[in-house]
Amino acid sequence: MAKELIRLQNVSMQFDGETVLDNISLTINDHEFLTLLGPSGCGKTTTLRIIGGFQTPTSGDVFFDGARINDVPPYRRKINTVFQKYALFPHLDVYDNIAFGLRVSKLPEPEVDRRVMEMLEIVSLRGFQNRKVTSLSGGQQQRVAIARALVNQPKVLLLDEPLGALDMRLRKDMQNELKRIQQALEITFIYVTHDQEEALAMSDTVVVMDKGCIQQIGSPVSIYNEPENAFVADFIGESNILDGIMRKDYEVEFFGHRYQCLDKGFAKNEPVDVVIRPEDIDIVPPGGGYLSATVTNVIFKGTFYDTFVDVGDFKWLIQTTDFHEIGDVIGISLDPDAIHVMKKSQYSEQFGDYSSYSAEYDEMEEDPEGEADEE
Amino acid sequence: MKNKLLAGPYLLWMVVFTLIPLGIVVYYAFTDSMTGSFTLSNLAKIGIYLPIFFRSIGLAAIACMICLVIGYPVAYCIASVGETWRRFLSMLVMLPMCMSFLLRTLAWVALLEDTGILNHALSLLGIGPLPLVRNNGAVILGMVYNYLPYMITPLYTVILKIDPKLEEAAQDLGCSGAQVFRRVTLPLSIPGIVSGITMVFVPAVSTFYISQKLGGTGTVLIGDVIESQFKTAYNPNLGAALSLILMVMVLICVGVMNHFSSDDIGEEMMPL
Ligand SMILES: Nc1ncnc2c1ncn2[C@@H]1O[C@H](COP(=O)(O)OP(=O)(O)OP(=O)(O)O)[C@@H](O)[C@H]1O
Ligand SMILES: [Mg+2]
């Protein structure tokens, strides 16, 4: 049974009258790997700073092990932080940086030495102990920052984009390493990233944030498969988001077709957002009652093709291992579990159509009318 | 190449107004005042003046420490307040420097002398007159007053550059406020402390005006002696020798200090 460790209750944060966190409530369990995920400026760092004690919320309460800790200073919290910009001490070498916390808590020097050396091993920086931290690469500095926090064996570790400066390969290695450490030492991790892949791969729980609000809390699988609104669907992975109408339980209509789905509990004929993941779409020969589409662009992605198709005046993205030529007409088949229905939200209309969306696909010709529709 | 050309005017300036005069000082120091022949007798006279050297260094060192003790908290405050206040406060620190050095020192005489403003005020309370001037204390006061801005300015510049995230990181790792200061803020201020001490110590150790106006007969400083060799005693060779010795002593002091501080701090922080 999971035990509650940290709880944020109706926490709001304002800077100069500007609301940065808007009434956030969040429970973090002991030994959990929880990730705050969201675009830049959504308040991830601010949330961490409130938990770490570097910022006092404008309103709301923070609990640790059941006790309210709003007024407990950072140095009295059993929490350590890996800062977004490392914040290593430039006047100390790698060894002394890592030993810093142990020495503050007056551990005997042999014990300090043992733990620092062990930590250097874990972050693969053996032999670097006497280097000046300013002479290290970004990735090495990041690993020193991780070691400096971990060596104290805190109950909770806050990590603010700890792998941001690493290249792909090292990033993957460190992800595995962090996950292993977290499980071995049974530390609660609160992890911040704006990389959705990283969040899905590492976390027990993902908290998706935008504009200072929590959009969804859930396991990686449920966040991916059952996004609660268009923002989450769009932010986590690729998705086609269409306007639909829920005709009745387990039946949704879009583009004039009715489809079986797995969702229920909507009002009859309620307008909804429908999410279809690009990899869930089956391509079939055209005709025979299937939705028909024209291929407008194909991009080779290594293991699959990003295939853009027009369905009416709506652009879809399909990920398929089969190659289709531009101009081909294809049929689109959708299984019930390929369709996910969401309530309309403030984010409806903002996402979904691949003609007006996404910097990743800006090699596609822009549709100025589509842009205007967003406003 | 171009960059080197840009340094040209400065190099010329250095040669004409620093290196050549230095050469002349060295020449005088090693020649006899009567015959003009090579001699070490000027330098050998250091024995007589050694107590005065020590007094100068001692008083300058005390003034330096007082400047540091007063200046550090001031610099720390200026660095931690908001932009507008910071500009106002640093202007306040610099303000006395807009006044003539001579005037500032004379003002202290007017304040402190037996018939001065302070003693006059005290006499109304039936106290005094107290011997506030013509002693070591008054000389130190004059040094501190005149050179304090030279301590505060480099300190403030360095403290301002310390990333507040580092202090947060220290707190995160278990440091209370005092420990943050001792383990992070203070070590990172060392470059400022070193340049502050240098900028106060060097002019203070060679000053002559302050001791003449605020000091008594027992507080002659080496600067006074050197000055008198050129102006009244007219023995420029001895004056040159004493300046040379003073210069070497100062260089040794500054060198030792820089050496010790650069062990603790990254080289990349040093140029600050
Ligand atoms: N001390 C502060 N004073 C004023 N505004 C602040 C302060 N700290 C953060 N903000 C603002 O709060 C908002 C959220 O900032 P925060 O650092 O939490 O974002 P983030 O999600 O961590 O973004 P990123 O991914 O870029 O790090 C931003 O608009 C930022 O400008
Ligand atoms: Mg951040």
Side-chain angles (χ1 to χ4, degrees):
Chain A
M1 183 59 211
K3 181 174 150 291
E4 171 190 308
L5 188 62
I6 295 176
R7 183 154 47 93
L8 302 184
Q9 194 169 297
N10 304 108
V11 168
S12 292
M13 186 80 219
Q14 278 155 10
F15 292 114
D16 315 317
E18 193 192 335
T19 302
V20 168
L21 289 181
D22 191 3
N23 201 19
I24 287 204
S25 295
L26 177 64
T27 303
I28 300 145
N29 289 327
D30 210 4
H31 304 169
E32 188 173 12
F33 194 126
L34 179 132
T35 298
L36 302 176
L37 175 66
S40 190
C42 71
K44 305 182 296 289
T45 298
T46 307
T47 310
L48 273 202
R49 288 171 60 78
I50 287 173
I51 297 172
F54 299 108
Q55 221 123 49
T56 313
T58 318
S59 66
D61 294 316
V62 186
F63 295 91
F64 188 95
D65 248 347
R68 186 174 175 278
I69 56 162
N70 284 38
D71 306 315
V72 177
Y75 68 92
R76 292 239 181 80
R77 300 191 182 192
K78 285 178 226 143
I79 298 176
N80 283 123
T81 309
V82 179
F83 290 86
Q84 187 161 11
K85 299 257 159 60
Y86 333 133
L88 299 177
F89 303 120
H91 60 300
L92 302 176
D93 63 13
V94 169
Y95 185 100
D96 291 337
N97 261 281
I98 300 177
F100 191 94
L102 301 176
R103 286 181 176 152
V104 170
S105 49
K106 303 238 162 25
L107 240 64
E109 206 57 27
E111 170 75 1
V112 171
D113 190 63
R114 193 185 60 71
R115 277 168 63 176
V116 171
M117 292 323 267
E118 182 187 86
M119 218 57 229
L120 281 166
E121 195 72 42
I122 289 178
V123 296
S124 336
L125 284 176
R126 199 162 43 121
F128 283 75
Q129 52 267 39
N130 297 322
R131 288 275 293 273
K132 290 233 159 277
V133 288
T134 39
S135 73
L136 300 181
S137 74
Q140 289 164 341
Q141 293 189 27
Q142 221 157 30
R143 282 179 284 156
V144 175
I146 291 170
R148 184 181 67 177
L150 261 183
V151 77
N152 303 293
Q153 300 173 356
K155 238 178 131 46
V156 180
L157 189 63
L158 311 179
L159 304 100
D160 199 347
E161 311 209 16
L163 307 182
L166 305 187
D167 62 54
M168 189 67 145
R169 186 67 176 279
L170 198 52
R171 204 181 161 98
K172 286 271 183 309
D173 286 349
M174 281 304 289
Q175 282 177 7
N176 293 333
E177 195 53 39
L178 282 178
K179 185 77 192 162
R180 192 190 64 72
I181 292 169
Q182 189 257 338
Q183 281 163 349
L185 302 183
E186 305 201 311
I187 301 176
T188 305
F189 270 35
I190 306 179
Y191 194 96
V192 162
T193 180
H194 56 236
D195 177 346
Q196 43 107 0
E197 228 174 278
E198 186 167 289
L200 296 181
M202 298 175 79
S203 324
D204 301 320
T205 305
V206 179
V207 179
V208 185
M209 296 177 65
D210 185 45
K211 299 195 185 108
C213 297
I214 292 180
Q215 302 297 331
Q216 188 168 358
I217 304 177
S219 70
V221 172
S222 72
I223 294 263
Y224 188 85
N225 286 341
E226 291 143 34
E228 256 164 41
N229 61 37
F231 174 82
V232 178
D234 181 79
F235 197 76
I236 314 285
E238 297 294 340
S239 36
N240 301 291
I241 303 172
L242 334 165
D243 283 331
I245 292 170
M246 203 66 187
R247 287 303 176 197
K248 58 182 193 211
D249 280 356
Y250 308 116
E251 192 177 300
V252 62
E253 178 183 323
F254 47 89
F255 288 113
H257 289 57
R258 290 192 181 208
Y259 289 93
Q260 298 295 312
C261 64
L262 304 175
D263 303 272
K264 64 178 169 75
F266 294 86
K268 195 166 156 57
N269 294 332
E270 180 176 336
V272 290
D273 285 331
V274 179
V275 186
I276 297 165
R277 297 289 184 186
E279 71 275 14
D280 290 340
I281 298 172
D282 294 327
I283 295 178
V284 293
Y290 291 114
L291 214 55
S292 102
T294 316
V295 178
T296 57
N297 200 3
V298 182
I299 298 166
F300 181 56
K301 282 296 179 83
T303 49
F304 56 85
Y305 295 94
D306 268 351
T307 306
F308 294 87
V309 301
D310 275 349
V311 180
D313 50 7
F314 192 92
K315 269 198 191 347
W316 291 37
L317 169 64
I318 303 174
Q319 286 169 350
T320 168
T321 50
D322 300 326
F323 177 73
H324 298 272
E325 286 205 44
I326 294 175
D328 277 1
V329 176
I330 56 168
I332 288 179
S333 160
L334 297 168
D335 288 340
D337 62 3
I339 296 169
H340 172 66
V341 180
M342 307 179 301
K343 283 220 184 283
K344 285 276 178 195
S345 68
Q346 52 157 326
Y347 294 103
S348 306
E349 320 301 328
Q350 281 186 34
F351 300 108
D353 184 337
Y354 277 87
S355 60
S356 62
Y357 155 79
S358 184
E360 297 158 60
Y361 293 100
D362 56 7
E363 60 262 49
M364 289 183 51
E365 50 193 342
E366 294 279 37
D367 177 357
E369 271 148 41
E371 290 275 349
D373 284 348
E374 278 188 21
E375 300 306 314
Chain B
M1 268 321 283
K2 254 191 178 156
N3 292 345
K4 280 189 186 141
L5 281 179
L6 286 176
Y10 175 70
L11 284 179
L12 190 70
W13 174 275
M14 281 287 288
V15 169
V16 173
F17 295 106
T18 307
L19 289 182
I20 292 176
L22 196 63
I24 296 173
V25 168
V26 172
Y27 172 78
Y28 269 80
F30 286 97
T31 50
D32 188 86
S33 55
M34 298 298 164
T35 62
S37 58
F38 175 82
T39 178
L40 290 175
S41 66
N42 294 322
L43 292 167
K45 292 209 180 94
I46 182 183
I48 313 168
Y49 295 101
L50 218 47
I52 302 183
F53 269 108
F54 286 144
R55 182 190 301 139
S56 296
I57 291 175
L59 290 186
I62 293 172
C64 229
M65 284 308 117
I66 296 176
C67 279
L68 182 60
V69 169
I70 300 176
Y72 196 98
V74 175
Y76 190 88
C77 280
I78 301 178
S80 22
V81 295
E83 184 76 39
T84 0
W85 273 103
R86 193 184 308 149
R87 227 174 276 152
F88 174 73
L89 288 176
S90 44
M91 207 188 65
L92 217 58
V93 168
M94 303 301 286
L95 202 59
M97 293 169 80
C98 304
M99 240 183 313
S100 153
F101 177 77
L102 306 181
L103 211 62
R104 276 180 282 160
T105 310
L106 282 175
W108 274 110
V109 177
L111 270 172
L112 298 178
E113 64 190 350
D114 289 358
T115 54
I117 297 168
L118 262 176
N119 268 320
H120 184 71
L122 287 175
S123 72
L124 295 179
L125 302 171
I127 312 169
L130 299 178
L132 297 175
V133 78
R134 315 239 165 277
N135 53 40
N136 283 346
V139 173
I140 292 174
L141 176 78
M143 289 177 174
V144 170
Y145 177 75
N146 277 306
Y147 301 125
L148 188 58
Y150 297 106
M151 176 64 80
I152 294 178
T153 311
L155 274 177
Y156 144 78
T157 315
V158 168
I159 296 173
L160 192 64
K161 285 210 176 103
I162 297 177
D163 186 354
K165 281 270 178 305
L166 295 177
E167 285 160 342
E168 286 189 355
Q171 281 186 54
D172 187 77
L173 294 164
C175 287
S176 62
Q179 283 173 314
V180 172
F181 180 76
R182 189 167 62 78
R183 286 177 182 269
V184 176
T185 316
L186 191 59
L188 287 175
S189 324
I190 285 178
I193 296 176
V194 169
S195 47
I197 288 180
T198 311
M199 287 172 73
V200 171
F201 182 73
V202 173
V205 81
S206 57
T207 186
F208 55 87
Y209 191 76
I210 293 175
S211 48
Q212 277 169 20
K213 292 298 159 195
L214 292 168
T217 44
T219 48
V220 176
L221 298 185
I222 197 64
D224 301 311
V225 176
I226 295 171
E227 193 216 11
S228 67
Q229 296 312 316
F230 287 94
K231 285 181 116 174
T232 50
Y234 204 72
N235 187 350
N237 301 69
L238 179 59
L242 293 177
S243 326
L244 203 61
I245 293 167
L246 180 63
M247 201 173 86
V248 170
M249 284 181 165
V250 166
L251 282 178
I252 291 174
C253 291
V254 171
V256 165
M257 200 164 56
N258 271 305
H259 176 76
F260 277 114
S261 62
S262 60
D263 281 351
D264 294 338
I265 197 88
E267 276 84 55
E268 41 289 308
M269 303 279 300
M270 284 315 289
L272 287 179

